[in-house]
């Protein structure tokens, strides 16, 4: 059984290979990375940043290719975080969905929680690199980390900040991963199943419509956790202000600071570029994933 599987075969099918979700998401990231970069810039800004002003600033600073800063970290993130979520979610569903009846809400909750925790934990180092490399251009030159690529960034993180730096922002990362799995995978499953019950054919059109709607749900649900995660991960650790050292703020300190200084609306900063990025990300990911799934089972049978 896989994400959005709708019919049971007469014999038990093995789970889809674990790498299918990672390959699908990495392919999608190549198309959507510039939008994700703009989203991170908006989320980590403390002022009233505008989308087009942010784009102009990036292009003026680093040229058009600057919109692809941190692509290696984004690919690493999709190859760890998203692949783990797909693999765990599919495996748990396959083990629970053995009698042909629809999965209970408790079963979906278990699959969502476990896949979110595993995906968030496995992908957290890449998530930190992704945020930092995308946000580097927004920092003054003296404060930039200047990671050349994901491998170089991991090396510098461990060397200068210790192994514990790989767990920065792990709390909001786990929360966001769980919310993302629930709002993306579960909503996609439910929307696709409902369309098929209404007589639509299991086709690219159904996959497109279900993933498009799932993107709207996921963007809204995940936005607050995404903003907090970006703020925590982008913070400069032990920054020398001339008089004392400033540590990375705790999660609840960040939540309070954002709410107190910028209001509730700040938790939805970057919602538009988030949706513009997530919608094609999910559409491309699920369409490729469904193709891989069908090809695999056609070969298996």
């Amino acid at each position: 059984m896989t994400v959005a599987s709708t019919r049971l075969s007469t014999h038990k099918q093995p789970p889809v290979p674990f790498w299918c979700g990672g390959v699908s998401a990495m392919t999608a990231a190549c198309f959507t990375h510039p939008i994700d970069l703009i989203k991170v810039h908006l989320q980590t800004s403390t002022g009233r940043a505008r989308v087009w002003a942010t784009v102009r600033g990036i292009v003026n600073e680093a040229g058009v290719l600057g919109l692809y800063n941190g692509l290696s970290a984004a690919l690493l993130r999709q190859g760890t975080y998203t692949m783990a979520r797909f693999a765990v979610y599919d495996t748990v569903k396959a083990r629970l969905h053995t009698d042909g009846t629809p999965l209970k809400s408790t079963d979906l909750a278990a699959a969502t929680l476990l896949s979110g925790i595993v995906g968030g934990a496995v992908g957290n180092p890449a998530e930190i690199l992704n945020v930092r490399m995308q946000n580097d251009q927004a920092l003054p030159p003296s404060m930039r980390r200047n990671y050349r690529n994901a491998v170089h960034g991991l090396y510098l993180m461990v060397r200068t900040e210790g192994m514990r730096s790989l767990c920065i922002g792990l709390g909001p990362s786990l929360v966001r991963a769980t919310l993302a799995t629930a709002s993306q995978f579960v909503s996609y499953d439910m929307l696709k199943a409902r369309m098929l019950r209404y007589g639509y054919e299991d086709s690219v059109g159904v996959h497109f419509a279900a993933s498009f709607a799932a993107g709207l749900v996921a963007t809204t649900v995940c936005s607050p956790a995404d903003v907090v995660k970006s703020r925590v991960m982008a913070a400069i650790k032990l920054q020398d202000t001339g008089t004392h050292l400033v540590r990375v703020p705790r999660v609840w300190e960040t939540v309070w600071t954002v709410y107190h200084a910028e209001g509730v609306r700040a938790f939805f900063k970057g919602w538009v570029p988030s949706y513009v990025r997530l919608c094609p990300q999910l559409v491309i990911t699920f369409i490729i994933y469904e193709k891989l799934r069908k090809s695999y089972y056609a070969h298996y049978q």
Side-chain angles (χ1 to χ4, degrees):
M1 292 295 170
T2 62
V3 171
S5 58
T6 56
R7 296 184 176 88
L8 291 174
S9 60
T10 57
H11 59 284
K12 186 176 178 60
Q13 294 177 321
V16 175
F18 71 92
W19 50 263
C20 288
V23 169
S24 304
M26 291 171 73
T27 303
C30 294
F31 294 93
T32 61
H33 184 74
I35 307 172
D36 195 33
L37 179 81
I38 295 166
K39 180 205 71 173
V40 170
H41 276 249
L42 292 172
Q43 290 178 338
T44 54
S45 68
T46 56
R48 293 176 58 86
R50 302 292 184 182
V51 173
W52 290 114
T54 301
V55 173
R56 285 196 300 270
I58 295 171
V59 173
N60 291 338
E61 175 74 20
V64 176
L65 291 180
L67 295 172
Y68 277 90
N69 278 352
L71 178 60
S72 61
L75 294 176
L76 177 63
R77 175 181 178 271
Q78 298 296 345
T80 53
Y81 162 75
T82 304
M83 182 170 65
R85 287 194 303 137
F86 264 102
V88 174
Y89 185 74
D90 282 345
T91 301
V92 174
K93 283 187 63 179
R95 291 187 177 278
L96 295 175
H97 198 187
T98 57
D99 57 0
T101 60
L103 285 175
K104 301 177 183 178
S105 57
T106 53
D107 295 334
L108 287 175
T112 298
L113 181 62
L114 187 58
S115 60
I117 291 174
V118 174
V122 170
N124 197 66
E127 187 75 57
I128 298 170
L129 288 172
N130 192 40
V131 171
R132 288 185 172 185
M133 292 178 72
Q134 290 180 350
N135 189 55
D136 222 29
Q137 287 177 324
L139 299 174
S142 60
M143 296 171 60
R144 293 178 183 175
R145 297 178 175 92
N146 296 316
Y147 298 156
R148 292 195 294 269
N149 50 56
V151 175
H152 180 245
L154 282 174
Y155 169 74
L156 287 183
M157 278 177 58
V158 174
R159 191 186 73 175
T160 60
E161 303 175 52
M163 291 295 294
R164 294 184 63 182
S165 66
L166 301 178
C167 296
I168 291 174
L170 181 59
S173 185
L174 293 178
V175 171
R176 186 195 178 281
T178 303
L179 292 175
T181 305
S183 56
Q184 293 172 14
F185 292 5
V186 177
S187 60
Y188 177 83
D189 271 350
M190 295 175 64
L191 290 166
K192 180 184 173 184
R194 175 159 297 195
M195 293 177 72
L196 294 176
R197 284 199 300 271
Y198 286 156
Y200 290 96
E201 185 181 353
D202 188 4
S203 62
V204 173
V206 168
H207 305 157
F208 178 90
S211 56
F212 190 92
L216 179 63
V217 176
T219 303
T220 305
V221 170
C222 295
S223 185
D226 205 22
V227 170
V228 174
K229 172 184 67 66
S230 295
R231 294 286 182 97
V232 172
M233 290 181 173
I236 303 295
K237 186 177 183 181
L238 298 180
Q239 175 189 341
D240 190 351
T241 63
T243 57
H244 62 284
L245 297 177
V246 179
R247 61 179 173 79
V248 174
R250 292 191 178 96
V251 173
W252 290 112
E253 291 174 339
T254 301
V255 172
W256 172 252
T257 300
V258 172
Y259 173 75
H260 183 71
E262 304 172 57
V264 175
R265 292 182 62 183
F267 291 105
F268 294 91
K269 268 190 172 182
W271 189 96
V272 173
S274 289
Y275 179 69
V276 172
R277 194 276 302 179
L278 187 60
C279 179
Q281 173 79 27
L282 288 181
V283 168
I284 296 171
T285 297
F286 277 117
I287 287 178
I288 295 176
Y289 186 85
E290 292 281 7
K291 290 293 184 183
L292 292 174
R293 178 180 69 83
K294 289 182 178 180
S295 297
Y296 174 73
Y297 282 140
H299 176 74
Y300 174 78
Q301 292 172 347

